[in-house]
Amino acid sequence: MDHVFSIDVEDWYQGIEIPMDQWGEFERRVEASMGRLLDLMARYDVRATCFVLGKVAEEHPDLVRRIHDAGHEVATHGYSHEKIYNLSPDRFREELRRSIELVQDLTGEPVLGHRAPYFTITEDSLWALDILRDEGILYDSSIHPVFNYRYGIPNADRQPSVIESEEGEQMLEVPVATYPLSSPLPDANVPCGGGAYLRIYPYWLQRWCLQKIEERGEHISVYVHPWEVDPEHPKIDLPFRVSATHYWNLDSTLPKLERLFQDFTFRSYRDVFASELEALST
Ligand SMILES: [Zn+2]
């Protein structure tokens, strides 16, 4: 079974809740760290989806071209990396348009997909889905069916589903992977779709979760960030809740990814869901 691999393309200081107006002072490392991921994917012939932050596309246009030229799908991760429930609908639309234009101008292809910063499409920001559809987005991967302090809709669908607006417009929602616990354990979905969890779990546990999902005949979506394969990036003072996961076990990401690529087959959202996206676009 082919699964989806994706990368949220942002620099190390962009995913730790530092406002955009303070980003100027930090060392740029995204081209080097993304280069490591591109090299690894080339070795295993993985064509992924790269959700590029608009600010990254603006500062590093050559990186976006390099991703595109290597055969990966380029989608959007918004512009400023602000949590969606902290934005007004108008501001969200404005940032989304800007991020889509930046990427489309560089790749010459339409942007089909979106992932929210910190998976922040929650019960408080479901309005964002209508705006995404309105702006031409065909699939979204932002609703995480788990409990987490800053994101999650715990009872949302774990598997890809078509969601429909009141006007009848449809879009595909594809959550990253979770494993459903059930009785005698409490009913809850265990996150196992990458990011910090890939670094926290020993590899055997990560693989076990994904194999169990595969045995259920279900779809798997796994993601990482470029800074997770850059253990040397600067250590700065952050609130404990942020630093505890951000800097945890960064050395382990690249070797674990390599094993994942040996044990599972990954492609982009655009490829794995080609027929669903075709149906939605007509
Ligand atoms: Zn992000």
Side-chain angles (χ1 to χ4, degrees):
M1 197 186 288
D2 282 359
H3 303 301
V4 173
F5 182 66
S6 62
I7 300 169
D8 291 358
V9 183
E10 65 198 35
D11 218 327
W12 64 275
Y13 51 85
Q14 290 169 326
I16 44 181
E17 305 190 32
I18 296 172
M20 190 168 60
D21 60 8
Q22 294 170 31
W23 291 354
E25 64 192 85
F26 296 114
E27 181 189 349
R28 270 50 181 163
R29 298 178 68 95
V30 70
E31 295 201 20
S33 53
M34 192 61 206
R36 292 180 188 176
L37 288 170
L38 288 169
D39 289 348
L40 184 70
M41 291 192 291
R43 263 199 284 143
Y44 288 93
D45 204 22
V46 172
R47 304 272 191 285
T49 295
C50 296
F51 295 100
V52 176
L53 192 68
K55 193 71 179 164
V56 168
E58 205 168 63
E59 287 189 13
H60 307 276
D62 286 347
L63 178 63
V64 178
R65 288 190 202 101
R66 189 175 160 200
I67 293 168
H68 175 70
D69 291 348
H72 304 289
E73 176 188 9
V74 184
T76 181
H77 194 37
Y79 181 79
S80 68
H81 214 273
E82 184 54 77
K83 300 181 193 79
I84 291 186
Y85 47 71
N86 287 348
L87 297 174
S88 67
D90 284 348
R91 173 83 187 276
F92 174 69
R93 187 189 294 272
E94 187 187 310
E95 291 201 6
L96 178 68
R97 275 188 189 166
R98 190 168 177 187
S99 69
I100 290 173
E101 276 167 22
L102 278 161
V103 166
Q104 284 182 173
D105 284 353
L106 292 166
T107 65
E109 286 185 10
V111 169
L112 306 180
H114 168 265
R115 175 169 296 139
Y118 314 107
F119 298 102
T120 50
I121 296 191
T122 66
E123 295 283 6
D124 293 330
S125 49
L126 287 171
W127 48 262
L129 296 172
D130 285 343
I131 296 175
L132 288 167
R133 265 185 303 252
D134 236 27
E135 299 299 325
I137 295 294
L138 296 182
Y139 75 87
D140 174 70
S141 179
S142 309
I143 297 179
H144 208 338
V146 296
F147 285 105
N148 181 282
Y149 72 93
R150 62 185 170 194
Y151 59 74
I153 302 181
N155 60 356
D157 271 336
R158 293 178 44 256
Q159 286 291 295
S161 60
V162 173
I163 48 180
E164 194 168 297
S165 70
E166 280 178 14
E167 293 78 37
E169 284 189 74
Q170 295 185 324
M171 184 169 63
L172 188 65
E173 178 64 36
V174 188
V176 297
T178 55
Y179 179 70
L181 295 181
S182 54
S183 179
L185 296 167
D187 282 351
N189 298 325
V190 177
C192 55
Y197 298 101
L198 177 68
R199 291 179 281 124
I200 291 167
Y201 300 154
Y203 182 71
W204 66 263
L205 179 59
Q206 174 69 58
R207 184 174 61 186
W208 184 86
C209 283
L210 297 185
Q211 281 173 337
K212 286 289 163 193
I213 297 171
E214 249 188 357
E215 283 169 18
R216 294 164 63 95
E218 292 180 342
H219 159 80
I220 292 170
S221 167
V222 176
Y223 84 105
V224 297
H225 304 92
W227 50 262
E228 292 184 284
V229 298
D230 180 17
E232 299 86 24
H233 75 258
K235 299 264 184 304
I236 58 171
D237 279 339
L238 293 167
F240 178 74
R241 67 181 171 82
V242 179
S243 66
T245 52
H246 183 85
Y247 290 114
W248 185 272
N249 219 1
L250 293 167
D251 281 326
S252 76
T253 314
L254 212 51
K256 283 175 179 170
L257 268 186
E258 182 150 11
R259 295 187 66 182
L260 264 188
F261 290 167
Q262 289 164 356
D263 291 337
F264 300 90
T265 305
F266 291 103
R267 293 190 289 144
S268 64
Y269 285 90
R270 182 181 60 190
D271 286 355
V272 170
F273 295 104
S275 55
E276 288 86 346
L277 296 176
E278 174 73 32
L280 288 174
S281 67
T282 52

